[in-house]
Amino acid sequence: ETGVTQSPTHLIKTRGQQVTLRCSSQSGHNTVSWYQQALGQGPQFIFQYYREEENGRGNFPPRFSGLQFPNYSSELNVNALELDDSALYLCASSLGARDMNTEAFFGQGTRLTVV
Amino acid sequence: QKEVEQNSGPLSVPEGAIASLNCTYSDRGSQSFFWYRQYSGKSPELIMSIYSNGDKEDGRFTAQLNKASQYVSLLIRDSQPSDSATYLCAVNNNDMRFGAGTRLTVKP
């Protein structure tokens, strides 16, 4: 148990719809990173939030957006869903900003299927 | 060239043997290195972190780092069937970059 929780665990959406995924970070952690993991691939970095501000972004289009709240929980929003967005979405919690390179602990993930 | 490269496997070892997993990375500025274990259908679980050159041991696991060669490895001694999983190498220089993982099977 990492203390990082994600909801929902599974989700089916239609192409063109919007989706919001949620993550509660481990107690004491102030940084949340989001990853997309396609089948058979390693996780791909989407973005990171540190103290409620975006603190780095991977190679994902603007329709992927996020928020971090004062309690350090976070949301990932994806607009205009495409079939290729079907993947496991992972949230990782850590302490400190990205340049501190500390250990990150994952939640159980949200499996998103776009049909 | 991929940023983090791992042999995809599958790597098959008998129970009790040593499993050796390897990873190379391209960003010379990388500061920290991690090994995650991922069981099928589950999320990655952190098993080792290493920050400086040399070996780091934790139980049956030993991580090895050579920054000059841009190489990091994980040795699993006395492999057990429960070690069967995909092992992800992650390299951090502000952004955490993952390899595609090596699938390990430990046969009883």
Side-chain angles (χ1 to χ4, degrees), chain B residues 16-58:
Chain B
I18 295 175
S20 177
L21 305 162
N22 304 314
C23 172
T24 58
Y25 60 94
S26 60
D27 183 355
R28 284 196 171 273
S30 299
Q31 299 294 316
S32 52
F33 307 85
F34 307 94
W35 284 98
Y36 286 83
R37 177 175 62 199
Q38 188 172 27
Y39 293 113
S40 181
K42 302 295 185 182
S43 63
E45 172 193 7
L46 179 66
I47 53 173
M48 288 288 286
S49 59
I50 186 166
Y51 300 92
S52 54
N53 282 329
D55 294 0
K56 179 182 177 182
E57 187 174 318
D58 184 0

Side-chain angles (χ1 to χ4, degrees), chain A residues 25-88:
Chain A
S25 59
Q26 187 177 107
S27 177
H29 284 183
N30 55 11
T31 300
V32 171
S33 303
W34 286 92
Y35 294 83
Q36 180 195 67
Q37 187 176 25
L39 207 58
Q41 302 296 316
Q44 299 295 311
F45 176 70
I46 302 175
F47 45 58
Q48 182 185 80
Y49 279 85
Y50 170 64
R51 293 185 174 178
E52 302 179 58
E53 293 196 358
E54 189 177 290
N55 187 40
R57 188 178 183 92
N59 190 25
F60 280 81
R63 60 189 184 85
F64 286 78
S65 63
L67 282 174
Q68 188 178 33
F69 300 99
N71 65 355
Y72 303 129
S73 66
S74 177
E75 287 183 353
L76 164 66
N77 299 292
V78 187
N79 293 323
L81 284 166
E82 301 176 359
L83 296 178
D84 285 349
D85 295 333
S86 296
L88 180 67

Side-chain angles (χ1 to χ4, degrees), chain B residues 35-98:
Chain B
W35 284 98
Y36 286 83
R37 177 175 62 199
Q38 188 172 27
Y39 293 113
S40 181
K42 302 295 185 182
S43 63
E45 172 193 7
L46 179 66
I47 53 173
M48 288 288 286
S49 59
I50 186 166
Y51 300 92
S52 54
N53 282 329
D55 294 0
K56 179 182 177 182
E57 187 174 318
D58 184 0
R60 296 187 296 113
F61 299 98
T62 298
Q64 299 173 316
L65 174 62
N66 183 327
K67 289 185 179 179
S69 300
Q70 296 174 247
Y71 175 89
V72 58
S73 66
L74 179 70
L75 299 177
I76 306 174
R77 289 181 299 281
D78 188 24
S79 295
Q80 301 297 308
S82 59
D83 294 327
S84 297
T86 296
Y87 288 79
L88 297 164
C89 171
V91 175
N92 200 342
N93 183 16
N94 292 328
D95 300 328
M96 184 96 79
R97 306 286 175 168
F98 284 82

